[in-house]
Amino acid sequence: MTCIVYIHGFNSSPQSAKARQLQAWAASQRPDLDIRVPALPMDPEKALALLESCVQSCPPATGLIGSSMGGFFANVLAARHGLPAVLINPAVHPHRLLARHLGENRNYHTGEVSELLPGHVGFLERTELPPATPSRLRVLLETGDETLDYREAERFYAGCRVEVTPGGSHAYEGFLAALPSIVEFLEQQAFVP
């Protein structure tokens, strides 16, 4: 594998802790990897279009890592492009969750204010799909996730390789320790027809 696209969550950015951990780890342990972390707009249709462009600019041996809402997008992209993906505490049915966040939202890292509109929520509902190739998805969940109910993702991704770790948080505290096995999974799956 030569390229990994990291997809951050709702209202996050490339400055998120996991994005920085992945970039620092790859720089020291796997400098051969091309790590891409696009800054996603709040508008999910524009975010998905940006991710499509990013994936299409990558070589065929590409893997995805998506956290929270990024996990939702990673599942969609994996289905569309036949890519392997690792989903970290992924959002399931994000249209239900984000319906409570309509209006102005401030980005956790940049402070930028964007408006979440009903049309954005509708797009997410129309875009949702079940895992297309469960064997190429690995789902990492921590039971202490204070934002999302890990059991919902456990049920939705039941046919995939699902790993539930007790404790933790929505940030997925075991991310750095899991990075070697995450990359190994993506590399193994990248060359499966």
Side-chain angles (χ1 to χ4, degrees):
M1 169 166 336
T2 56
C3 185
I4 293 177
V5 178
Y6 177 84
I7 308 169
H8 66 70
F10 173 74
N11 226 8
S12 190
S13 79
Q15 287 81 46
S16 72
K18 287 189 293 299
R20 290 192 324 259
Q21 287 175 337
L22 171 61
Q23 291 169 320
W25 179 85
S28 69
Q29 303 296 315
R30 290 294 305 273
D32 58 307
L33 294 175
D34 175 7
I35 306 296
R36 301 186 187 187
V37 187
L40 303 179
M42 171 114 20
D43 179 330
E45 190 168 6
K46 290 180 180 175
L48 191 54
L50 177 65
L51 289 167
E52 284 282 359
S53 176
C54 182
V55 165
Q56 289 169 9
S57 73
C58 289
T62 293
L64 307 170
I65 301 173
S67 175
S68 191
M69 176 69 86
F72 171 83
F73 286 133
N75 178 52
V76 171
L77 292 165
R80 290 181 179 180
H81 299 280
L83 297 173
V86 175
L87 316 182
I88 312 291
N89 285 334
V92 177
H93 315 303
H95 62 282
R96 295 178 191 164
L97 176 68
L98 292 186
R100 295 177 280 185
H101 295 277
L102 291 174
E104 289 188 350
N105 291 271
R106 184 176 303 277
N107 186 286
Y108 302 126
H109 303 282
T110 67
E112 179 183 349
V113 176
S114 299
E115 188 172 8
L116 184 67
L117 303 170
H120 298 151
V121 174
F123 174 79
L124 290 170
E125 185 173 13
R126 291 188 306 276
T127 306
E128 184 177 293
L129 58 115
T133 311
S135 64
R136 300 191 80 195
L137 295 181
R138 181 177 175 199
V139 183
L140 302 179
L141 306 171
E142 287 185 335
T143 63
D145 187 334
E146 68 284 359
T147 303
L148 303 171
D149 185 343
Y150 79 93
R151 294 168 295 193
E152 194 170 21
E154 188 177 30
R155 286 189 298 271
F156 188 81
Y157 291 104
C160 304
R161 180 176 166 184
V162 178
E163 299 166 35
V164 180
T165 302
S169 68
H170 185 61
Y172 198 84
E173 294 170 18
F175 183 69
L176 187 57
L179 274 175
S181 69
I182 287 172
V183 172
E184 180 181 11
F185 173 83
L186 292 173
E187 287 183 319
Q188 289 171 348
Q189 293 298 317
F191 299 104
V192 173

